[in-house]
């Protein structure tokens, strides 16, 4: 008699692990003047995903998956049949219970990292930092990405065709900090944009400083050989000598390459007349892409993470508007790249993701970016040598003759 097996679940298809809750108050179909919107809430079952909440917001052409358990991250997005995600070696989403952010190495964040959009912050968002005794002070990319949201609700407007998933997430420690992040993820019935509207408040009675970085991670099918990034920037500089080796093609991507070592570039974006910065990743044919727009008054810096490793090793482009560069927090604070908040003070951050699924949409995004250059008569300045005031790796390796 042949061996038989009964499969309850598999590792590969994570969506099959979602248990949708039709009795949830967030199980909604909303008829609006602009079209129909649907909202569904569920939870992942099994393995390291057990208990992770998911909310899917959709219109007739697209859907976006939000993870309240993981700091309101955007897990995946799909529009007109094109899926926006990346293949991380981490098979998630991973419940924060299985991510030891504070492990001594400081890089525990990487054990749960597989989202399309992960927020990094709020106290710190960059490289891990240890004190003189080797004790971890600030872990890689901070805590907010592994902090579950507390309050969760939906707001909608039938007249405009708008729906918002609203959440509040608290990052706090006695005697140290209390930040409240009020998040709204907004979609519309008649367009494919996903808007992220985050307001961060210092709820202590004393001043505090914070950082926030939007780690937007795109893999295949948009990312591939000869894919390109078009971004309106004033200056760009490599993080270190390794990145400097490709400074002449910093915005171009190789195909998946075994043994590739990540390269990172730091930039100063410029904005359009409404104060928004623009970046777009497009495939080699210009047939599809992802547009990212962000308010530069509160996200004044931009980071590109190029990891052209093999697909299974994490082939990905990171498009990252930020309050600062992802150096250790003390390095950034000394150079004025932290956000100072008085008692009860709030700072607002705005990012819009627009999936581009036709050549015409890619061309329109390209033209919008070119127009910024025309309006501001700004050229991109590339540096053959990294900037010491932008990167701690450069400062630490700079010769003494340079005064460092």
């Amino acid at each position: 008699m042949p061996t038989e097996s009964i499969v309850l679940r598999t590792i590969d298809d994570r969506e099959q692990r979602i248990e949708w809750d039709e009795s949830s108050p967030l199980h909604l179909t909303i008829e609006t003047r602009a079209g129909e919107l649907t909202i569904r809430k569920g939870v992942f079952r099994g393995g390291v995903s057990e208990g992770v909440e998911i909310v899917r917001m959709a219109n007739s052409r697209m859907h976006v998956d939000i993870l309240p358990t993981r700091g309101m991250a955007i897990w995946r997005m799909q529009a007109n049949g094109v899926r926006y995600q990346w293949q991380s070696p981490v098979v998630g989403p991973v419940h924060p219970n299985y991510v030891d952010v504070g492990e001594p190495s400081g890089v525990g964040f990487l054990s749960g990292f597989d989202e399309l959009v992960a927020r990094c912050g709020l106290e710190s968002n960059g490289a891990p930092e240890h004190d003189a005794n080797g004790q971890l002070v600030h872990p890689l990319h901070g805590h907010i990405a592994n902090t579950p949201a507390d309050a969760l609700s939906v707001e909608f407007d039938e007249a405009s065709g708008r729906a918002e998933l609203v959440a509040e997430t608290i990052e706090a420690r006695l005697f140290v900090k209390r930040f409240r992040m009020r998040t709204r993820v907004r979609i519309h019935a008649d367009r494919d944009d996903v808007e992220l509207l985050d307001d961060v408040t210092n709820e202590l009675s004393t001043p505090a400083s914070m950082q926030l970085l939007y780690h937007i991670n795109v893999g295949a099918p948009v990312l591939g050989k000869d894919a390109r990034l078009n971004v309106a920037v004033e200056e760009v500089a490599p993080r270190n000598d390794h990145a400097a080796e490709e400074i002449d093609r910093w915005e171009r991507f190789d195909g998946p390459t075994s043994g590739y070592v990540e390269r990172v570039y730091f930039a100063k974006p410029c904005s359009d007349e409404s104060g928004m910065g623009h970046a777009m990743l497009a495939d080699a044919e210009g047939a599809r892409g992802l547009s990212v727009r962000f308010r530069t008054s509160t996200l004044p810096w931009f980071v590109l993470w190029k990891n052209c490793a093999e697909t299974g090793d994490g082939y990905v482009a990171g498009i990252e508007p930020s309050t600062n560069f992802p150096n250790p927090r003390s390095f950034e604070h000394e150079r004025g790249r932290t956000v100072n908040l008085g008692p009860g003070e709030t700072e607002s951050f705005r990012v819009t993701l627009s999936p581009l699924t036709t050549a015409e949409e890619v061309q329109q995004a390209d033209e919008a970016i070119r127009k910024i250059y025309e309006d501001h008569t700004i050229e991109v300045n590339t540096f053959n040598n990294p900037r010491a005031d932008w990167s701690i790796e450069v400062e630490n390796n700079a010769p003494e003759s340079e005064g460092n």
Side-chain angles (χ1 to χ4, degrees), residues 196-251:
L196 309 181
L197 305 95
D198 295 332
D199 298 321
V200 178
T201 302
N202 169 28
E203 296 196 328
L204 293 182
S205 62
T206 54
S209 60
M210 52 87 59
Q211 298 178 320
L212 182 59
L213 178 147
Y214 291 83
H215 218 304
I216 303 166
N217 310 294
V218 185
V222 173
L223 186 66
K225 181 176 172 54
D226 295 327
R228 61 185 175 85
L229 175 75
N230 190 2
V231 55
V233 298
E234 297 178 21
E235 296 181 8
V236 60
R239 182 178 69 177
N240 53 26
D241 290 341
H242 175 66
E245 294 171 0
E246 289 189 5
I247 190 62
D248 60 334
R249 57 187 308 273
W250 71 278
E251 78 284 17

Side-chain angles (χ1 to χ4, degrees), residues 162-181:
R162 182 188 74 243
E164 295 177 353
L165 181 66
V166 184
E168 293 189 356
T169 308
I170 306 294
E171 181 180 312
R173 175 171 289 185
L174 181 63
F175 306 130
V176 177
K177 60 183 175 179
R178 181 179 169 89
F179 294 112
R180 181 187 298 265
M181 182 176 73

Side-chain angles (χ1 to χ4, degrees), residues 322-352:
S322 181
T323 61
N324 57 283
F325 297 127
N327 296 297
R329 189 186 195 281
S330 61
F331 181 89
E332 292 298 288
H333 188 68
E334 290 168 2
R335 287 153 184 79
R337 291 192 292 263
T338 52
V339 179
N340 296 316
L341 296 176
E345 209 166 50
T346 299
E347 190 67 273
S348 298
F349 306 93
R350 304 291 183 259
V351 176
T352 299

